[in-house]
Amino acid sequence: MKVHQLSAAVALALAGMAGAAIAQSAPPLRISLTADIRSTEPGVNRDSNSDAVVLHIVEGLVAYGEDAEVRPLLAKSIDISADGKTYTFTLRDGIKFHNGKPMTSADVLWTWQHYTGANSGWRCASEFDGRGTVKVTGVEAPDAHTVVYHLEKPSSLFLASLARTDCGGTGILSKDSVGADGAWIKPIGTGPFELAEWKRGEYIRLTKFAGYSNLDGKRDGYTGSKRPLVDEVRFMIVPDDSTAKAALQRGNIDIIEDVSNNDVPVLQGTPNVKVAYAPVMSMTALLLQTKDPVLSSPKMRQALAHAIDYKQLAAAVTEGLAQPNNSIVPLVSPYHDAAQKQGWEYDPARTQALLKEAGYKGQALTILTTKRYPQSYNSAVIVQAMLQSVGINAQLSVVEWATQLDRYNAGTYQMMTFPYSARLDAALNYEMVTGDKTKQPRKIWDSAEALKLVEAASVDTDHAKRQASFDQLHKLFLADVPSIPLYNGLDIGAYRSDVKGYQPWAVKKPRAWEVERVGG
């Protein structure tokens, strides 16, 4: 009943906005969000929706490109010292804040001090003070266009950490973003849109920044060309999926930024609605507890790996949209090359031979799963059927998400289908699964050789050296089978046919720049 009342209220608000828009020559571009944002301060009291909105307003020295590779944004160039411990950023010319003030290195320095100050609340402070992967020992601004960061030791993850969306992209702020007492007011950044209004529970209104200094070239993730082609963007809070779909069909919303796989066929058949999608960095995998008496045998784990038809599974779970991927490195990563394309072949006969070699006697193997994430649950059902078809006594145990997460963190399971959230660097992809199980039971791979390779990839800044580490890791992973990666997720967006330029991408966040209306 509560959901129905909320949906009706949202529908009325959307209809009212549509009516108001008719009187305007250029109605706002309306993008639905499932929940309100938590704050407007980059990386503080944030969630995914907050990040998505704030990153239209602020920009950092670097940002993720379309392929999740880090590239310059407010920086014109980046020079890394021979020892890998000094990063010199040269700023682009002519950058202005939304208040008209020019951006200089002094603003970069002030922003860094604001983020890393005591009790700042910035999520990523621990990522740069030595508690995380990087320790910044000092930052200086020798002239108006130069900023120098000093690190305690080399790190290939320094730039990736600066670019992280949950860090607000380490967006550079004008001092006017805070009051005289240091209290937060609103983000005054350099992005293509500026914050105009936040009506809590209803919408966040952004307006075009006429003084935006655009990069040349094409759109490229959070960098590249980011022209604001509409005068106003409204992120509409629409918690109910059915309400959002109805509003899109009526024309009261222009874009739904996160569509479920199950809704794709319906929306594809809806007049005046288009659907687009792109692979993302998240991963669904079948986890195997290598400490389990049955699964401790590598032969047994290899038997499981060859019993799954990955193409059929990925097609069935994602409505034919996703491709299988047996690598920890996502398909869209710049480090997914020929080595990562190698996987386990679906081979029931080989499974039978491996089961015999492993001494399998028909013991029950339980797959833990939850209905909270339909793709993960559907994967478990299909995997169970495939394993049973080759004589493996696979059972399904369906639990609440909280229970599954507790079991995952404690390592108390035999097998489970698990949805990993996106990591935007291949070293972080491996770090999320590799580690000492006695200290971190949630880890699935405790190979000493793998740990050394992950550590090397986290330090090396040379692409070729990092690639060699990831290639060797994948080879070891295929042989050891500590888990079975199945496929990467999708970013699916639906939009009105008069919207041009909207494009889902690897980071799974909406982008309103380079988007316009056509045909009146």
Side-chain angles (χ1 to χ4, degrees), residues 182-472:
W184 182 253
I185 301 174
K186 71 173 186 176
I188 300 176
T190 63
F193 295 95
E194 52 187 305
L195 179 64
E197 180 185 13
W198 176 14
K199 193 163 186 180
R200 293 175 185 265
E202 293 188 31
Y203 59 82
I204 306 97
R205 183 165 65 91
L206 310 183
T207 53
K208 175 182 180 178
F209 176 36
Y212 181 64
S213 180
N214 192 47
L215 281 170
D216 293 330
K218 62 182 181 178
R219 174 170 46 196
D220 186 13
Y222 275 125
T223 183
S225 185
K226 296 168 65 177
R227 297 174 299 164
L229 301 180
V230 294
D231 292 333
E232 182 180 318
V233 176
R234 291 201 187 193
F235 288 95
M236 306 294 300
I237 313 307
V238 190
D240 181 62
D241 286 347
S242 298
T243 302
K245 285 184 288 185
L248 181 72
Q249 292 164 349
R250 289 193 305 266
N252 294 342
I253 277 179
D254 301 299
I255 298 168
I256 298 177
E257 59 88 20
D258 188 11
V259 175
S260 69
N261 289 334
N262 295 339
D263 287 333
V264 169
V266 174
L267 289 171
Q268 285 177 327
T270 301
N272 300 316
V273 169
K274 295 183 178 181
V275 177
Y277 58 91
V280 298
M281 313 291 272
S282 59
M283 174 182 74
T284 296
L286 178 68
L287 309 191
L288 309 177
Q289 180 49 266
T290 57
K291 301 296 186 184
D292 179 80
V294 179
L295 297 177
S296 61
S297 163
K299 295 286 187 183
M300 184 67 200
R301 301 196 298 271
Q302 289 167 13
L304 294 170
H306 289 291
I308 299 171
D309 186 332
Y310 300 100
K311 288 184 179 179
Q312 184 183 32
L313 184 148
V317 171
T318 69
E319 302 290 335
L321 300 177
Q323 296 298 314
N325 179 23
N326 287 152
S327 174
I328 291 292
V329 179
L331 288 171
V332 291
S333 168
Y335 291 100
H336 191 101
D337 70 355
Q340 279 68 36
K341 288 179 172 56
Q342 302 301 311
W344 299 288
E345 294 293 331
Y346 172 54
D347 190 341
R350 189 172 180 186
T351 290
Q352 297 288 352
L354 286 165
L355 288 174
K356 189 173 182 179
E357 291 179 38
Y360 178 63
K361 305 296 184 183
Q363 301 97 315
L365 288 173
T366 300
I367 306 171
L368 202 68
T369 190
T370 178
K371 291 186 177 180
R372 165 75 177 270
Y373 297 101
Q375 291 181 34
S376 183
Y377 170 75
N378 292 340
S379 296
V381 172
I382 294 170
V383 167
Q384 179 195 23
M386 289 179 175
L387 297 184
Q388 287 179 342
S389 72
V390 293
I392 297 170
N393 184 10
Q395 306 297 320
L396 211 60
S397 176
V398 184
V399 298
E400 296 296 324
W401 168 240
T403 301
Q404 180 172 5
L405 195 57
D406 287 345
R407 297 275 297 274
Y408 162 77
N409 285 322
T412 52
Y413 60 88
Q414 285 183 299
M415 300 189 290
M416 72 162 65
T417 51
F418 192 78
Y420 281 103
S421 57
R423 305 295 195 277
L424 299 182
D425 184 272
L428 296 177
N429 288 109
Y430 273 107
E431 187 278 334
M432 74 183 178
V433 302
T434 309
D436 185 342
K437 289 189 177 189
T438 61
K439 296 178 180 178
Q440 295 177 292
R442 65 182 173 83
K443 300 291 189 177
I444 61 171
W445 198 20
D446 51 6
S447 160
E449 186 176 0
L451 282 167
K452 289 180 182 178
L453 287 166
V454 173
E455 184 177 353
S458 299
V459 172
D460 289 331
T461 56
D462 181 77
H463 184 97
K465 288 182 179 178
R466 301 188 84 212
Q467 187 70 67
S469 293
F470 297 135
D471 290 354
Q472 183 61 23

Side-chain angles (χ1 to χ4, degrees), residues 59 61 72-77 89-97 100-105 107-108 143-147 190 209 211-216:
E59 298 178 313
L61 296 173
L73 180 50
L74 294 181
K76 178 167 58 179
S77 63
F89 298 86
T90 302
L91 305 181
R92 288 164 49 204
D93 297 322
I95 304 291
K96 290 184 179 181
F97 288 113
K101 295 181 180 180
M103 186 200 76
T104 71
S105 61
D107 297 297
V108 179
D143 61 57
H145 288 87
T146 307
V147 180
T190 63
F209 176 36
Y212 181 64
S213 180
N214 192 47
L215 281 170
D216 293 330

